[in-house]
Amino acid sequence: MYDVIIVGAGVAGFTAALFAARRGLKVLVIGKDLGGQANYTDLIENYPGLEQIGGLELVKKIRAQAQNYGAEFVISEVSKISAKGGNLPFFVVSAYGSQYKAQGLILAYGKTPRDLGVPGENELKGRGVSYCANCDAPLYKNKTVAVVGVGDIAADAALMLSKYAKKLYILSKTDKFNAHPALSKALFGKANVELVIWSQVQQILGENQVSGMKIQDLKTGKIRELAVEGIFVELGYVINSKIVQNVVELDEQEQIVVNADQSTSVPGMFAAGDATSSLYKQAVISAGEAATAALAAYDYLMRQKGGVGLTSDWTQIKKLK
Ligand SMILES: Cc1cc2nc3c(=O)[nH]c(=O)nc-3n(C[C@H](O)[C@H](O)[C@H](O)COP(=O)(O)OP(=O)(O)OC[C@H]3O[C@@H](n4cnc5c(N)ncnc54)[C@H](O)[C@@H]3O)c2cc1C
């Protein structure tokens, strides 16, 4: 039995762990991976106090700080959360079937890359289908690859890939590429880059490794095969709140609705970071929300045990006036 379980091992998850563990709580962080979106971020230049830092390096530092205060960490995907209410604990079930229990819960599961949703994608994830050019581009040196997507995220990925790939196709469903003009200019000035317009991916091909894709020409309806060894899906990010559907209040974008103290519609359940309904999504904002969530969870647990909870400094200041 833990005091607090934190779902998500990104900036928010480990910051929440740091603040909760420093209050003496027994804390477990469960995350599908280490780092979350920080893995996709080569360099962060707007985290206060750190002029430049690699995304993953930042998360590793926060994790080390949390572990110094006793927070535990498990790599696993959470597949189910149940909240029976009242004083009953939360149950967190992992994809491997392990079950964990805690009196408080902090959801910090962030955002994940949007899938293409075509046959072959799931089977070939990590075998030629990638969602992170920053991580995987060097694996495609002198190979033929495709980027699916047309925004700034896709352009960033394509620029990175164009440095390694022999040939790079960029697939657009229209006759346009919607990225920032400066990015487009840099990209289409390169001899190995080709924009394939009016094209929609129908299927990803390959046995154990990507060998190509079926694409449909949206003008003529014709379907053809394009031989590629790698496919980078760059369609932006979505919040996947399946594990708490019908458990906690979500908005129409599946963001967890939070109050000013990061509490949710379920007593004892808090949320922080990119998965919440707060307007802006940045590392420092995730960290700030996570600190609030952890302190609010501590306050909740102390009151549940009949204690006085955590009095806010601000209340004290007002009383003194
Ligand atoms: C390309 C890119 C560049 C960026 N550049 C900057 C920048 O320069 N400056 C800046 O401040 N911000 C930047 N950001 C945004 C910043 O990275 C995010 O705001 C921040 O990392 C979000 O942290 P988080 O912990 O809330 O969520 P995430 O980083 O999304 O972490 C969520 C964690 O939860 C895990 N998870 C999800 N579902 C489950 C589940 N079911 N079970 C278990 N674990 C689960 C994930 O695997 C991950 O570990 C950038 C983002 C991207 C994508």
Side-chain angles (χ1 to χ4, degrees), residues 7-13 30-38 40-41 43-47 76-79 108-112 134 153 237 240 243 272-275 281-284 286:
V7 180
V11 173
I30 308 177
K32 244 187 335 193
D33 58 25
L34 166 64
Q37 290 167 75
Y40 307 127
T41 315
L43 216 51
I44 293 183
E45 295 184 321
N46 57 0
Y47 199 90
S76 188
E77 179 169 0
V78 170
S79 59
Y109 51 74
K111 299 199 262 48
T112 41
N134 247 333
I153 291 178
Y237 290 78
N240 182 351
I243 53 171
D274 280 14
K281 316 282 186 195
Q282 288 283 282
V284 67
S286 286

Side-chain angles (χ1 to χ4, degrees), residues 135-284:
C135 322
D136 297 340
L139 304 175
Y140 292 87
K141 198 167 179 202
N142 295 326
K143 295 191 172 170
T144 300
V145 297
V147 166
V148 185
V150 289
D152 286 346
I153 291 178
D156 262 340
L159 262 181
M160 174 95 180
L161 279 160
S162 66
K163 293 177 193 155
Y164 295 94
K166 179 174 68 187
K167 175 80 187 175
L168 169 64
Y169 296 107
I170 301 175
L171 272 60
S172 169
K173 284 207 276 189
T174 67
D175 59 350
K176 294 191 177 56
F177 187 71
N178 297 327
H180 189 278
L183 283 172
S184 297
K185 197 175 161 200
L187 199 54
F188 294 112
K190 299 199 169 200
N192 61 341
V193 177
E194 181 182 333
L195 182 65
V196 188
I197 58 172
W198 301 117
S199 52
Q200 182 161 36
V201 183
Q202 297 287 322
Q203 188 180 350
I204 296 178
L205 306 170
E207 281 298 314
N208 288 314
Q209 195 68 34
V210 167
S211 61
M213 62 213 295
K214 273 191 186 165
I215 53 173
Q216 181 170 36
D217 185 314
L218 292 175
K219 276 247 147 151
T220 64
K222 279 191 181 155
I223 295 177
R224 68 178 172 113
E225 286 188 15
L226 188 66
V228 290
E229 291 155 289
I231 297 168
F232 286 77
V233 181
E234 299 290 346
L235 299 173
Y237 290 78
V238 286
I239 295 172
N240 182 351
S241 290
K242 211 167 61 193
I243 53 171
V244 284
Q245 210 97 49
N246 304 320
V247 174
V248 71
E249 186 188 350
L250 304 173
D251 68 11
E252 66 283 355
Q253 289 170 290
E254 288 200 24
Q255 302 180 112
I256 307 156
V257 177
V258 285
N259 304 306
D261 65 350
Q262 304 301 131
S263 58
T264 68
S265 59
V266 178
M269 188 187 285
F270 301 82
D274 280 14
T276 71
S277 54
S278 59
L279 201 50
Y280 303 109
K281 316 282 186 195
Q282 288 283 282
V284 67

Side-chain angles (χ1 to χ4, degrees), residues 112-118 121-122 125 131 233 235-236 238:
T112 41
R114 189 192 297 271
D115 282 348
L116 253 178
V118 298
E121 181 180 23
N122 272 337
K125 270 182 189 171
Y131 302 81
V233 181
L235 299 173
V238 286

